[in-house]
Every structure is written in C-alpha cells, then in structure tokens.
C-alpha cells in the first residue's frame, strides 16, 4: 500500500492527498507535483527540504556522516580505488573490470590535449587573472571547439563529452596556473597516471626533467576521489538546471564552475587558508571563534559547517589523515598551519556554539593545507576542486539526459511586489 499524506485546510477547502516516495536510503519525499493543478506551490528558498530529482549516483547521510558513490562507502574508494576507477563508477554505475578500466584510461589519456587554437583563449586574459576566471572562460570556450554535430540525446555522444571533459579539465587547470606564472604550457604525457600527469603539467618546465613524487601523486588522486561528487550541491544543481534546457554541455560545466567558486561552496578551501594566514598563531584562535559566533560580524569559520552533514564530513576525516602522509613525505610534520588547523578544530568542537549547531570540519578545512604543501598556490585551490568535481558534474548531467521523463527546470516563486498599477508619464512623476 503506497504511503500518502493528506493536506487539510483550515478554510474547509477539500483535502489533498499526496504520495510519499522512499528511496533506497534517506529521507522519504512527498511528491508535490499534483499541488500545482490544485492551485498551490511549495515555498523553500535555498532548497533546504526539497528533492530536485531522482538520482542513483551519490548518497549522503548527514546525521551519520556517510557518503556512498553508487553504493560504495567513500572510505573504501579513497583507500582501495583510484580516480579513474571512480570516474568510471560515477559514469557507468559499476566499478570497471581491468579491461574496461584500461580502455577508459586509454580514452581519457588520448583526449587530454586541448585544440591548439585554445591557447589564444588563455592569452586573452591578464596574467594576473584569477585561475578560476580563466578556467571558467576556457571551459565555456570549449563549447565553440568540441560540440559540432553532437547530439546530447545520444548516449554515445554524451559519453564522448564526458571523456573529453574529464580528460581536458586537468590540462585547462594546469595551463591556468602556468599562464598565471608566466611559464610555458606543458603538454600532457599519456604514459603518466591522471594525477601524475596533472603534476607534470603543473610543475615541470622545458628546462629540466621532472618526476612526480609518488606519495604526493597518490594523495592527489585520493583528493580527486573525495571531491568527485556530492549529490545535489549548489554547483551540481547549477549544471543540472543549465543542462535541463538542452544547453551545450561545456557551457553547463562552466556554469557549475562559476557556482563552485563561491566562498560558501568550493571557494571555501581558499578562504580557509586566507583565514589561517590572517589568524597567524594559535593564540589568536579564541578571537576568531568569538567573531564566528558574533551575529553582528559577517565572519564565519571557513571550512566549518555543512547544509547536509550534521556530523564530521567523512571526507574531512580522510583528508586530515592524508595531510599527515603528505606532510611526513615532505618532512613538514610540524607544519604550523596544520598544527593551527588541528588546534582550531579541537577548540571549536568543544565549543557549545558549534556543538549545538552541529558545525564540524568539512571537506574544505584541510585540503588547502595539502595543496599548499605540494606547492599549489591558494588561488588554485578551487580550481583543484572543480577539476575533481567535473567527474560528478558530467555523471549527473548524463543521468539527467538519459531519463526520457526529464523536464526543463523551471521553479516558481512567492510574488511580493506591487499590485497592478497604471503607467505614469515621466512629466507627471514626482520623486
Ligand atoms: C562545500 O552542499 C555540498 O555538498 C557542498 C560541498 C560539496 O562537496 O559540494 O560539501 C562542498 O561547499 C562545503 C562547505 C564549504 N563552505 C564553508 O566552509 C563556508 C563556511 N560554512 C558556512 O557558510 C555554512 O556552514 C554553509 C554555507 C556550508 C552551510 O550553511 P547553511 O546550511 O545554510 O547553514 P546556516 O547558514 O543556516 O547555519 C546554521 C547556523 C547559523 O547560526 P544561527 O542563525 O542558527 O544562530 O550555523 C551558523 C549560522 O550562522 N553557521 C556558522 C557557520 N556555518 C553555519 N557559524 C560560524 N561559522 C560557520 N562556518
């Protein structure tokens, strides 16, 4: 027997019965679609209690701090798989066999170069442009290079789009960094792994040999896995909404990057390092905790809190562990910022304000410390997030378009503007 809920109205209007749907896991949803025809909308600014779609890709349990990609716990994938396997899993729903993985890796490797003309897109920016601005501009420009004759309603065409984006975004990211630095663009090398190739394009120069540090490459690959997808977050919802109109997928991914750039979303990893730099010493932690709690101060503790997690973000726990590994590998185990971050976490997690609001460190709290230790500047931190999240964005975009029932997204509103009024000619208007 399908579970339902009945809306009754205090003015005696006829009740409305609505179906309740239960997924594999998670909060059941009330299917409110019949409400429109009955003369009502629901109202949920910020979508705090709204399910926007059906998806089989990622599951998050905010209370328990769980994160599954296609049913596999993030801890399993982070320590036992690599990013290429996870990209395949997100796109196809199953972990690849050895042969399927090899074919996928070969396809990604052979799509990693950019059209030669795209160099000019980078050169249209000032050298000092923020690398996220460059990444968004170049990714959007890809819509002018790679979408001729593509049919987004053809599954194979969508797979080619996905492979191109997963393959090319690391090149775009590394070249945005090289452009900032005034160094020559470094071309991808197909024999290297995904993370090694990114490090090669970021840190090598034509003047000397470069071999990626295997410990750092493994840590980077794990960080890509942790950032790959996260259900219907702001940037993924942006990609879905843009893509729901049938828009060019490269332009849709650029829109997702724009949303991710915000300091409340993926821009938080850069904001955490700016906060730690400003804090400067553990002795100033109480001052910043006080500011974070002061409602008259717009300051928030960057890297803390989450719309969904009301427990420790499972990714933060893994990234903290990875921090230890990277700092040990670089003989930076006493990195003052890492020590300060851990002390800040300890103090905040003992503070009633954070405990009562269930504010825990999120994925952005520690990632910047690792990136900085690897020699990646803070201006590149959100670029790193966007690089990894491209796999999730294209998987969610693909899932949406594969659903024959999908519709263009078109939310409604609660109108609070002026009632109808007559036009006043300008000569008769008074201030
Ligand atoms: C990401 O959605 C995703 O899945 C995102 C992400 C992904 O993988 O895609 O996980 C990546 O974006 C992680 C979040 C990164 N952002 C930050 O670290 C920025 C700092 N965090 C906050 O701005 C905030 O916690 C949000 C934006 C993350 C969540 O905000 P919500 O859910 O809208 O929560 P809220 O603003 O309603 O806060 C509830 C209360 C408020 O206090 P009261 O009004 O109840 O007194 O908690 C307070 C807030 O003031 N609060 C904070 C705080 N976060 C929330 N107070 C101080 N510092 C903070 N960081």
């Amino acid at each position: 027997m399908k579970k339902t809920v009945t809306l009754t109205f205090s003015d005696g209007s006829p009740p409305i019965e609505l179906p309740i749907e239960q997924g594999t896991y998670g909060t059941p949803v009330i299917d409110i679609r019949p409400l429109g025809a009955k003369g009502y909308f629901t109202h949920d600014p910020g979508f705090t209690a709204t399910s926007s779609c059906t998806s089989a890709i990622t599951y998050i349990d905010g209370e328990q701090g769980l994160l599954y990609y296609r049913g596999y716990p993030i801890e399993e994938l982070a320590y036992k798989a690599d990013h290429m396997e996870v990209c395949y899993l997100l796109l196809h729903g199953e972990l690849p066999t050895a042969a399927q993985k090899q074919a996928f890796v070969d396809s990604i490797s052979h799509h990693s170069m950019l059209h030669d003309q795209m160099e000019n897109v980078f050169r249209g920016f000032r050298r000092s442009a923020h690398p996220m601005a460059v990444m968004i501009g170049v990714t959007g420009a890809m819509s002018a290079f790679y979408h001729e004759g593509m049919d987004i309603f053809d599954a194979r065409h969508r797979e080619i789009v996905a492979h191109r984006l997963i393959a090319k975004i690391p090149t775009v990211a590394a070249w945005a960094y090289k452009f900032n630095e005034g160094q020559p663009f470094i071309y991808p090398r197909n024999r290297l792994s995904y993370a090694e190739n990114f490090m090669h394009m970021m840190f090598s120069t034509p003047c000397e040999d470069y071999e990626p540090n295997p410990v750092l490459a493994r840590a980077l690959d794990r960080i890509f896995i942790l950032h790959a997808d996260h259900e219907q977050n702001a940037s993924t919802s942006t990609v879905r909404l843009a893509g729901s109109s049938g828009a060019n997928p490269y332009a849709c991914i650029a829109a997702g990057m724009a949303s991710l750039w915000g300091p409340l979303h993926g821009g938080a990893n850069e904001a955490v390092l700016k906060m730690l730099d400003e804090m400067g010493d553990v002795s100033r932690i109480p001052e910043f905790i006080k500011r974070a709690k002061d409602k008259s101060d717009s300051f928030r503790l960057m890297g803390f809190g989450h719309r969904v997690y009301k427990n420790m973000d499972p990714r933060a726990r893994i990234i903290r562990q990875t921090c230890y590994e990277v700092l040990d590998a670089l003989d930076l185990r006493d990195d003052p910022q890492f020590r300060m971050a851990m002390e800040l976490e300890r103090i905040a997690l003992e503070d009633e304000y954070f405990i009562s609001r269930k504010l825990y460190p999120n994925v952005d709290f520690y990632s910047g410390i690792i990136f900085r230790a690897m020699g990646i500047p803070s201006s590149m931190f959100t670029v790193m997030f966007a690089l990894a999240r491209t796999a999730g964005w294209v998987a969610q975009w693909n899932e949406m378009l594969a659903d024959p029932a999908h519709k263009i997204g078109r939310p409604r509103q609660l109108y609070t503007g002026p009632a109808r009024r007559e036009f006043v000619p300008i000569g008769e208007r008074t201030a």
Side-chain angles (χ1 to χ4, degrees):
M1 170 75 171
K2 172 80 79 178
K3 193 174 172 185
T4 64
V5 63
T6 301
L7 287 181
T8 58
F9 297 88
S10 54
D11 63 1
S13 301
I16 300 174
E17 190 172 40
L18 297 170
I20 293 177
E21 302 291 342
Q22 173 63 58
T24 311
Y25 297 121
T27 307
V29 300
I30 298 172
D31 186 339
I32 57 163
R33 282 173 288 187
L35 276 184
K38 306 268 185 181
Y40 288 95
F41 295 148
T42 57
H43 188 57
D44 183 15
F47 310 121
T48 56
T50 291
S51 158
S52 62
C53 64
T54 302
S55 179
I57 297 175
T58 292
Y59 172 66
I60 302 170
D61 182 318
E63 292 305 321
Q64 298 184 66
L66 303 179
L67 169 56
Y68 299 162
Y69 291 163
R70 300 286 192 178
Y72 294 97
I74 193 68
E75 295 80 4
E76 297 273 297
L77 296 169
Y79 289 110
K80 298 177 181 175
D82 66 21
H83 189 55
M84 287 291 93
E85 286 176 272
V86 168
C87 289
Y88 185 98
L89 173 67
L90 290 172
L91 272 174
H92 298 287
E94 299 296 337
L95 286 168
T97 62
Q100 287 168 332
K101 179 181 176 183
Q102 192 54 57
F104 183 73
V105 170
D106 289 347
S107 175
I108 297 302
S109 300
H110 289 86
H111 280 90
S112 55
M113 280 214 301
L114 298 179
H115 187 293
D116 201 47
Q117 195 75 8
M118 291 202 77
E119 268 202 40
N120 300 328
V121 182
F122 286 87
R123 300 195 191 286
F125 288 91
R126 286 184 295 112
R127 285 280 180 184
S128 59
H130 193 291
M132 272 306 287
V134 177
M135 177 181 237
I136 291 165
V138 173
T139 303
M142 287 169 78
S143 57
F145 285 85
Y146 298 112
H147 204 55
E148 288 305 312
M150 295 298 278
D151 173 6
I152 59 173
F153 298 103
D154 179 315
R156 176 57 186 146
H157 285 197
R158 289 199 303 275
E159 186 181 35
I160 292 168
V161 168
H163 286 201
R164 277 179 169 151
L165 279 160
I166 291 170
K168 295 179 191 302
I169 293 301
T171 310
V172 173
W175 285 20
Y177 169 70
K178 286 303 201 185
F179 183 71
N180 259 176
E181 294 293 307
Q183 290 185 3
F185 295 136
I186 299 295
Y187 279 78
R189 189 150 297 165
N190 293 348
R191 66 172 174 77
L192 296 173
S193 75
Y194 195 77
E196 289 170 340
N197 208 2
F198 175 71
M199 293 171 73
H200 160 70
M201 293 188 283
M202 277 284 287
F203 300 121
S204 74
T205 69
C207 317
E208 54 191 26
D209 296 335
Y210 171 81
E211 273 309 314
N213 176 320
V215 174
L216 301 191
R218 179 69 192 115
L220 200 51
D221 189 271
R222 184 180 302 155
I223 290 174
F224 290 160
I225 290 172
L226 296 173
H227 287 78
D229 193 53
H230 212 241
E231 198 211 72
Q232 304 312 319
N233 57 83
S235 53
T236 299
S237 299
T238 301
V239 171
R240 278 183 173 258
L241 194 55
S244 70
S245 70
N248 181 305
Y250 301 95
C252 296
I253 297 302
M257 289 172 173
S259 171
L260 185 76
W261 194 6
L264 296 187
H265 190 9
N269 53 18
E270 180 177 355
V272 167
L273 263 291
K274 280 183 181 150
M275 177 183 73
L276 293 174
D277 283 343
E278 190 189 341
M279 208 175 275
D281 182 83
V282 289
S283 63
R284 293 193 63 199
I285 289 177
E287 172 196 334
F288 280 75
I289 294 275
K290 184 169 180 290
R291 283 187 60 198
K293 293 154 64 173
D294 178 356
K295 293 304 172 195
S296 66
D297 188 334
S298 61
F299 172 78
R300 285 194 160 183
L301 213 52
M302 290 289 111
F304 264 77
H306 199 277
R307 172 60 61 76
V308 175
Y309 289 123
K310 302 310 171 190
N311 198 324
M312 183 85 167
D313 182 335
R315 301 167 297 177
R317 197 175 281 116
I318 297 168
I319 287 191
R320 189 204 296 141
Q321 175 55 39
T322 305
C323 246
Y324 280 114
E325 292 169 17
V326 167
L327 296 174
D328 268 347
L330 297 174
D331 199 20
L332 295 172
R333 62 183 61 78
D334 295 326
D335 177 274
Q337 284 208 324
F338 183 51
R339 296 281 162 230
M340 191 159 50
M342 289 206 298
E343 181 61 6
L344 175 57
E345 174 189 307
R346 184 189 67 77
I347 294 173
L349 294 184
E350 291 172 359
D351 186 295
E352 181 46 34
Y353 174 92
F354 292 87
I355 294 169
S356 63
R357 292 168 178 79
K358 299 184 177 181
L359 302 176
Y360 294 87
N362 58 51
V363 68
D364 292 305
F365 187 61
Y366 285 102
S367 54
I369 294 167
I370 298 179
F371 292 147
R372 176 173 279 183
M374 289 180 172
I376 299 171
S378 59
S379 61
M380 280 289 291
F381 290 179
T382 308
V383 169
M384 302 298 290
F385 197 146
L387 187 169
R389 185 55 55 89
T390 295
W393 287 332
V394 291
Q396 298 269 353
W397 168 80
N398 179 59
E399 180 181 63
M400 174 182 68
L401 289 173
D403 176 0
H406 96 270
K407 301 169 80 70
I408 186 170
R410 202 317 187 175
R412 300 305 303 273
Q413 63 174 14
L414 178 66
Y415 175 69
T416 57
R420 190 188 185 287
R421 50 187 173 164
E422 294 305 317
F423 181 79
V424 178
I426 191 163
E428 298 170 24
R429 290 173 208 160
T430 55

